[in-house]
Amino acid sequence: MNNYTVETMSGIEAVSVAYARTTSPKAAAEWVTGRQVQDRRDEAQWVRVTDDTNRAVYKFAFK
């Protein structure tokens, strides 16, 4: 399991920050937000997940 920083985004601004310890970035985004996510395209409301171990950044949008 990895540690993730999960930020709910509005455009380029973070509106909330939470932390999760899960098996994948997608699982972290879904656990923190309580909603299903998919890969982000160009949505205004989205979720940025940072893997705290290797600093990789993942971008998701709500389904």
Coordinates of all heavy atoms in Angstrom, one line a residue:
M1 N 0.8 -1.2 0.0 CA 0.0 0.0 0.0 C 0.9 1.2 0.0 O 1.9 1.3 0.6 CB -0.9 0.0 1.2 CG -2.0 -1.0 1.2 SD -3.5 -0.2 1.7 CE -4.1 -1.4 2.9
N2 N 0.4 2.3 -0.7 CA 1.2 3.5 -0.8 C 0.4 4.6 -0.1 O -0.8 4.6 0.0 CB 1.4 3.9 -2.3 CG 2.4 3.0 -2.9 OD1 3.2 2.3 -2.3 ND2 2.4 3.0 -4.2
N3 N 1.1 5.7 0.2 CA 0.5 6.9 0.7 C 0.2 7.9 -0.4 O 1.1 8.1 -1.3 CB 1.4 7.6 1.8 CG 1.5 6.7 3.0 OD1 0.5 6.2 3.5 ND2 2.7 6.7 3.5
Y4 N -1.0 8.5 -0.5 CA -1.3 9.4 -1.5 C -1.9 10.7 -0.9 O -2.6 10.7 0.1 CB -2.4 8.8 -2.4 CG -2.0 7.6 -3.2 CD1 -2.3 6.3 -2.7 CD2 -1.3 7.7 -4.3 CE1 -1.9 5.2 -3.3 CE2 -0.9 6.5 -5.0 CZ -1.2 5.3 -4.5 OH -0.7 4.2 -5.2
T5 N -1.6 11.8 -1.6 CA -2.2 13.1 -1.3 C -3.2 13.3 -2.4 O -2.9 13.2 -3.6 CB -1.1 14.2 -1.3 OG1 -0.1 14.0 -0.4 CG2 -1.8 15.6 -1.1
V6 N -4.5 13.5 -1.9 CA -5.6 13.7 -2.9 C -6.2 15.1 -2.7 O -6.6 15.5 -1.7 CB -6.7 12.6 -2.5 CG1 -7.9 12.8 -3.5 CG2 -6.2 11.2 -2.5
E7 N -6.1 15.8 -3.9 CA -6.6 17.2 -3.9 C -7.8 17.3 -4.9 O -7.7 16.8 -6.0 CB -5.5 18.1 -4.4 CG -4.3 18.1 -3.5 CD -3.2 18.9 -4.1 OE1 -2.5 18.2 -5.0 OE2 -2.9 20.0 -3.8
T8 N -8.9 17.8 -4.4 CA -10.1 18.1 -5.2 C -9.8 19.4 -5.8 O -9.6 20.4 -5.1 CB -11.4 18.0 -4.4 OG1 -11.5 16.8 -3.7 CG2 -12.6 18.2 -5.3
M9 N -9.9 19.5 -7.1 CA -9.5 20.7 -7.9 C -10.7 21.4 -8.5 O -11.7 20.7 -9.0 CB -8.5 20.3 -8.9 CG -7.3 19.6 -8.5 SD -6.2 20.5 -7.4 CE -5.6 21.7 -8.6
S10 N -10.7 22.7 -8.6 CA -11.6 23.5 -9.4 C -10.8 24.3 -10.3 O -10.1 25.3 -9.9 CB -12.5 24.4 -8.5 OG -13.3 25.1 -9.3
G11 N -10.7 23.9 -11.6 CA -9.7 24.5 -12.5 C -8.3 24.2 -12.1 O -7.9 23.0 -12.0
I12 N -7.5 25.2 -11.7 CA -6.2 25.0 -11.3 C -6.0 25.2 -9.8 O -4.9 25.2 -9.3 CB -5.2 25.9 -12.1 CG1 -5.5 27.4 -11.8 CG2 -5.2 25.6 -13.5 CD1 -4.5 28.4 -12.3
E13 N -7.1 25.4 -9.1 CA -7.1 25.7 -7.7 C -7.5 24.5 -6.8 O -8.6 24.0 -7.1 CB -7.9 26.9 -7.4 CG -7.7 27.5 -6.0 CD -8.4 28.8 -5.9 OE1 -8.4 29.6 -6.8 OE2 -9.0 29.1 -4.8
A14 N -6.8 24.1 -5.8 CA -7.2 23.0 -4.9 C -8.2 23.6 -3.9 O -8.0 24.6 -3.3 CB -6.0 22.5 -4.2
V15 N -9.3 22.9 -3.8 CA -10.4 23.3 -2.9 C -10.4 22.4 -1.7 O -11.0 22.8 -0.7 CB -11.8 23.3 -3.6 CG1 -11.8 24.4 -4.6 CG2 -12.1 22.0 -4.2
S16 N -9.8 21.2 -1.7 CA -9.7 20.4 -0.5 C -8.5 19.5 -0.7 O -8.1 19.1 -1.8 CB -10.9 19.6 -0.2 OG -11.1 18.6 -1.2
V17 N -7.9 19.1 0.5 CA -6.8 18.2 0.5 C -7.0 17.1 1.5 O -7.5 17.4 2.6 CB -5.5 18.9 0.8 CG1 -4.3 17.9 0.9 CG2 -5.2 20.0 -0.2
A18 N -6.8 15.8 1.2 CA -6.9 14.7 2.1 C -5.8 13.7 1.8 O -5.1 13.8 0.8 CB -8.3 14.1 1.9
Y19 N -5.6 12.8 2.7 CA -4.5 11.8 2.6 C -5.1 10.4 2.7 O -6.1 10.2 3.4 CB -3.5 12.0 3.6 CG -3.0 13.4 3.6 CD1 -3.5 14.4 4.4 CD2 -1.9 13.8 2.7 CE1 -3.0 15.7 4.3 CE2 -1.5 15.1 2.6 CZ -2.0 16.0 3.4 OH -1.6 17.3 3.3
A20 N -4.6 9.5 1.9 CA -5.1 8.1 1.9 C -4.0 7.1 1.8 O -2.9 7.4 1.2 CB -6.1 7.9 0.7
R21 N -4.2 6.0 2.3 CA -3.2 4.9 2.2 C -4.0 3.7 1.5 O -4.8 3.0 2.2 CB -2.6 4.4 3.5 CG -1.6 3.4 3.5 CD -0.9 3.2 4.8 NE -0.1 2.0 4.8 CZ 1.2 2.0 4.4 NH1 1.7 3.2 3.9 NH2 1.9 0.9 4.4
T22 N -3.8 3.5 0.2 CA -4.5 2.5 -0.5 C -3.6 1.8 -1.5 O -2.4 2.1 -1.5 CB -5.7 3.2 -1.3 OG1 -5.1 4.1 -2.3 CG2 -6.6 3.9 -0.4
T23 N -4.2 1.0 -2.3 CA -3.4 0.2 -3.3 C -3.1 0.8 -4.6 O -2.3 0.4 -5.4 CB -4.1 -1.2 -3.5 OG1 -5.4 -0.9 -4.0 CG2 -4.2 -2.0 -2.3
S24 N -3.9 1.9 -4.9 CA -3.7 2.6 -6.2 C -4.2 4.0 -6.1 O -5.0 4.4 -5.3 CB -4.5 1.9 -7.3 OG -5.9 2.1 -7.1
P25 N -3.7 4.9 -7.1 CA -4.1 6.3 -7.1 C -5.7 6.4 -7.3 O -6.3 7.2 -6.7 CB -3.4 6.9 -8.2 CG -2.4 5.9 -8.7 CD -2.7 4.6 -8.1
K26 N -6.2 5.5 -8.2 CA -7.6 5.6 -8.4 C -8.4 5.2 -7.2 O -9.4 5.9 -6.9 CB -8.0 4.7 -9.6 CG -9.5 4.7 -10.0 CD -9.8 3.8 -11.1 CE -11.3 4.0 -11.4 NZ -11.8 3.0 -12.4
A27 N -8.0 4.2 -6.5 CA -8.7 3.8 -5.2 C -8.6 5.0 -4.2 O -9.6 5.2 -3.5 CB -8.0 2.6 -4.7
A28 N -7.5 5.7 -4.2 CA -7.3 6.8 -3.2 C -8.3 7.9 -3.6 O -9.0 8.5 -2.7 CB -5.9 7.3 -3.3
A29 N -8.4 8.2 -4.9 CA -9.4 9.3 -5.3 C -10.8 8.9 -5.0 O -11.6 9.7 -4.5 CB -9.2 9.5 -6.8
E30 N -11.2 7.6 -5.2 CA -12.5 7.2 -5.0 C -12.8 7.1 -3.5 O -13.9 7.4 -3.0 CB -12.8 5.9 -5.7 CG -12.8 6.0 -7.2 CD -13.1 4.7 -7.9 OE1 -12.9 3.6 -7.4 OE2 -13.4 4.8 -9.1
W31 N -11.9 6.7 -2.7 CA -12.1 6.6 -1.2 C -12.3 8.0 -0.6 O -13.2 8.2 0.2 CB -10.9 5.9 -0.6 CG -11.1 5.6 0.9 CD1 -11.8 4.7 1.5 CD2 -10.5 6.4 1.9 NE1 -11.8 4.8 2.8 CE2 -11.0 5.9 3.1 CE3 -9.7 7.5 2.0 CZ2 -10.6 6.4 4.4 CZ3 -9.3 8.1 3.2 CH2 -9.8 7.5 4.4
V32 N -11.4 8.9 -1.0 CA -11.5 10.3 -0.4 C -12.8 11.0 -0.9 O -13.4 11.6 -0.1 CB -10.2 11.1 -0.8 CG1 -10.4 12.6 -0.5 CG2 -9.0 10.6 -0.1
T33 N -13.1 10.9 -2.2 CA -14.2 11.7 -2.7 C -15.6 11.0 -2.5 O -16.6 11.6 -2.5 CB -14.1 12.0 -4.2 OG1 -14.1 10.8 -4.9 CG2 -12.8 12.8 -4.4
G34 N -15.5 9.7 -2.4 CA -16.8 8.9 -2.3 C -17.5 8.8 -3.6 O -18.7 8.4 -3.6
R35 N -16.8 9.0 -4.7 CA -17.4 9.0 -6.0 C -16.5 8.2 -7.0 O -15.3 8.1 -6.7 CB -17.6 10.4 -6.6 CG -18.5 11.3 -5.8 CD -18.5 12.7 -6.2 NE -19.1 12.8 -7.6 CZ -19.1 14.0 -8.2 NH1 -18.7 15.1 -7.6 NH2 -19.6 14.0 -9.4
Q36 N -17.1 7.6 -8.0 CA -16.3 6.9 -9.0 C -15.6 8.0 -9.9 O -16.1 9.1 -10.2 CB -17.2 6.1 -9.9 CG -17.7 4.9 -9.2 CD -18.4 3.9 -10.1 OE1 -18.9 4.3 -11.2 NE2 -18.6 2.7 -9.7
V37 N -14.3 7.6 -10.3 CA -13.6 8.5 -11.1 C -13.1 7.8 -12.4 O -13.1 6.6 -12.5 CB -12.3 9.1 -10.4 CG1 -12.8 10.0 -9.2 CG2 -11.4 8.0 -9.9
Q38 N -12.7 8.6 -13.4 CA -12.1 8.1 -14.6 C -10.9 9.0 -15.0 O -10.7 10.0 -14.3 CB -13.1 8.1 -15.7 CG -13.6 9.5 -16.1 CD -14.8 9.5 -17.0 OE1 -15.4 8.4 -17.3 NE2 -15.2 10.6 -17.5
D39 N -10.1 8.7 -16.0 CA -9.0 9.5 -16.4 C -9.6 10.9 -16.8 O -10.6 11.0 -17.4 CB -8.3 8.9 -17.5 CG -7.4 7.7 -17.1 OD1 -7.2 7.6 -15.9 OD2 -7.1 6.9 -18.0
R40 N -8.8 11.9 -16.4 CA -9.3 13.3 -16.7 C -9.0 13.6 -18.2 O -7.9 13.3 -18.7 CB -8.5 14.3 -15.8 CG -8.9 15.7 -16.1 CD -8.2 16.7 -15.2 NE -8.7 18.0 -15.4 CZ -7.9 19.1 -15.8 NH1 -6.6 18.9 -15.9 NH2 -8.5 20.2 -16.0
R41 N -9.9 14.4 -18.8 CA -9.6 14.9 -20.1 C -9.4 16.4 -20.0 O -8.3 16.8 -20.0 CB -10.8 14.6 -21.0 CG -10.9 13.1 -21.3 CD -12.0 12.7 -22.2 NE -12.4 11.3 -22.0 CZ -13.4 10.9 -21.2 NH1 -14.1 11.8 -20.5 NH2 -13.7 9.7 -21.1
D42 N -10.5 17.2 -19.9 CA -10.3 18.6 -19.7 C -11.4 19.2 -18.8 O -11.9 20.3 -19.0 CB -10.4 19.3 -21.1 CG -9.8 20.7 -21.0 OD1 -9.0 21.0 -20.1 OD2 -10.3 21.5 -21.8
E43 N -11.9 18.4 -17.8 CA -13.0 18.8 -17.0 C -12.5 19.9 -16.0 O -11.4 19.9 -15.6 CB -13.5 17.6 -16.1 CG -14.2 16.5 -17.0 CD -13.2 15.5 -17.6 OE1 -12.0 15.7 -17.4 OE2 -13.6 14.6 -18.2
A44 N -13.4 20.8 -15.6 CA -13.1 21.8 -14.7 C -13.0 21.3 -13.2 O -12.2 21.8 -12.4 CB -14.2 23.0 -14.8
Q45 N -13.9 20.4 -12.9 CA -13.8 19.8 -11.5 C -13.1 18.4 -11.7 O -13.6 17.5 -12.4 CB -15.3 19.5 -11.0 CG -16.1 20.8 -11.0 CD -15.6 21.8 -10.0 OE1 -15.2 21.5 -8.9 NE2 -15.6 23.1 -10.4
W46 N -12.0 18.3 -11.0 CA -11.2 17.1 -11.1 C -10.5 16.8 -9.8 O -10.5 17.5 -8.9 CB -10.3 17.2 -12.3 CG -9.4 18.3 -12.3 CD1 -9.7 19.6 -12.5 CD2 -7.9 18.3 -12.1 NE1 -8.5 20.4 -12.4 CE2 -7.5 19.6 -12.2 CE3 -7.0 17.3 -11.9 CZ2 -6.1 19.9 -12.1 CZ3 -5.7 17.6 -11.8 CH2 -5.3 18.9 -11.9
V47 N -9.7 15.7 -9.8 CA -9.0 15.2 -8.6 C -7.6 14.9 -9.0 O -7.3 14.2 -10.0 CB -9.6 13.9 -8.1 CG1 -8.9 13.5 -6.8 CG2 -11.1 14.1 -7.8
R48 N -6.6 15.6 -8.3 CA -5.2 15.3 -8.5 C -4.7 14.5 -7.3 O -4.9 14.8 -6.2 CB -4.4 16.7 -8.5 CG -2.9 16.5 -8.7 CD -2.2 17.8 -8.9 NE -2.5 18.8 -7.8 CZ -2.3 20.1 -8.0 NH1 -1.9 20.6 -9.1 NH2 -2.6 20.9 -7.0
V49 N -4.1 13.3 -7.7 CA -3.6 12.4 -6.7 C -2.0 12.3 -6.9 O -1.6 12.1 -8.0 CB -4.2 11.0 -6.9 CG1 -3.6 10.0 -5.9 CG2 -5.7 11.1 -6.8
T50 N -1.3 12.6 -5.8 CA 0.1 12.5 -5.8 C 0.6 11.3 -5.0 O 0.2 11.2 -3.8 CB 0.8 13.8 -5.3 OG1 0.3 14.9 -6.0 CG2 2.3 13.7 -5.4
D51 N 1.4 10.4 -5.6 CA 2.0 9.3 -4.9 C 3.1 9.9 -4.1 O 4.1 10.4 -4.6 CB 2.5 8.3 -5.9 CG 3.0 7.0 -5.2 OD1 3.6 7.1 -4.1 OD2 2.9 5.9 -5.8
D52 N 3.0 9.8 -2.7 CA 4.0 10.4 -1.9 C 5.3 9.7 -1.9 O 6.3 10.3 -1.4 CB 3.4 10.5 -0.4 CG 2.2 11.5 -0.3 OD1 2.1 12.4 -1.2 OD2 1.4 11.3 0.6
T53 N 5.4 8.5 -2.4 CA 6.6 7.8 -2.4 C 7.5 8.2 -3.6 O 8.7 8.6 -3.4 CB 6.4 6.3 -2.5 OG1 5.6 5.9 -1.4 CG2 7.7 5.5 -2.5
N54 N 6.9 8.2 -4.8 CA 7.7 8.5 -6.0 C 7.3 9.9 -6.6 O 7.8 10.2 -7.7 CB 7.7 7.4 -7.0 CG 6.3 7.2 -7.5 OD1 5.4 8.0 -7.4 ND2 6.1 6.0 -8.1
R55 N 6.4 10.6 -6.0 CA 6.0 11.9 -6.4 C 5.3 11.9 -7.8 O 5.3 12.9 -8.5 CB 7.1 12.9 -6.4 CG 7.9 13.0 -5.1 CD 7.0 13.4 -3.9 NE 6.3 14.7 -4.1 CZ 5.3 15.1 -3.3 NH1 4.8 14.4 -2.4 NH2 4.8 16.3 -3.5
A56 N 4.8 10.8 -8.3 CA 4.1 10.7 -9.5 C 2.7 11.4 -9.3 O 2.1 11.2 -8.2 CB 3.9 9.3 -10.0
V57 N 2.2 12.1 -10.3 CA 0.9 12.8 -10.2 C 0.0 12.2 -11.2 O 0.3 11.9 -12.4 CB 1.1 14.3 -10.6 CG1 -0.2 15.0 -10.5 CG2 2.1 14.9 -9.6
Y58 N -1.3 11.9 -10.7 CA -2.3 11.3 -11.5 C -3.5 12.3 -11.5 O -3.8 12.9 -10.5 CB -2.8 10.0 -10.9 CG -1.6 9.0 -10.8 CD1 -0.8 9.0 -9.6 CD2 -1.3 8.1 -11.8 CE1 0.2 8.1 -9.5 CE2 -0.2 7.2 -11.7 CZ 0.5 7.2 -10.5 OH 1.6 6.4 -10.4
K59 N -4.2 12.3 -12.6 CA -5.4 13.2 -12.8 C -6.6 12.4 -13.1 O -6.6 11.7 -14.1 CB -5.1 14.3 -13.9 CG -3.9 15.1 -13.5 CD -3.5 16.0 -14.7 CE -2.2 16.8 -14.3 NZ -1.8 17.7 -15.4
F60 N -7.7 12.7 -12.4 CA -8.9 12.0 -12.6 C -10.1 13.0 -12.6 O -10.0 14.1 -12.1 CB -9.2 11.0 -11.4 CG -8.2 9.9 -11.3 CD1 -7.2 10.0 -10.3 CD2 -8.2 8.8 -12.1 CE1 -6.2 9.0 -10.2 CE2 -7.2 7.8 -12.0 CZ -6.2 7.9 -11.0
A61 N -11.2 12.5 -13.2 CA -12.4 13.3 -13.3 C -13.5 12.4 -12.8 O -13.5 11.2 -12.8 CB -12.7 13.8 -14.7
F62 N -14.6 13.1 -12.3 CA -15.8 12.3 -11.8 C -16.5 11.7 -13.0 O -16.7 12.3 -14.0 CB -16.7 13.2 -11.0 CG -16.0 13.8 -9.8 CD1 -15.7 15.1 -9.7 CD2 -15.6 12.9 -8.7 CE1 -15.0 15.6 -8.6 CE2 -14.9 13.4 -7.6 CZ -14.7 14.8 -7.5
K63 N -17.1 10.5 -12.8 CA -17.9 9.9 -13.8 C -19.2 10.5 -13.8 O -19.7 11.0 -12.9 CB -18.0 8.4 -13.5 CG -16.8 7.6 -13.9 CD -17.1 6.1 -13.9 CE -15.9 5.4 -14.4 NZ -16.0 3.9 -14.3

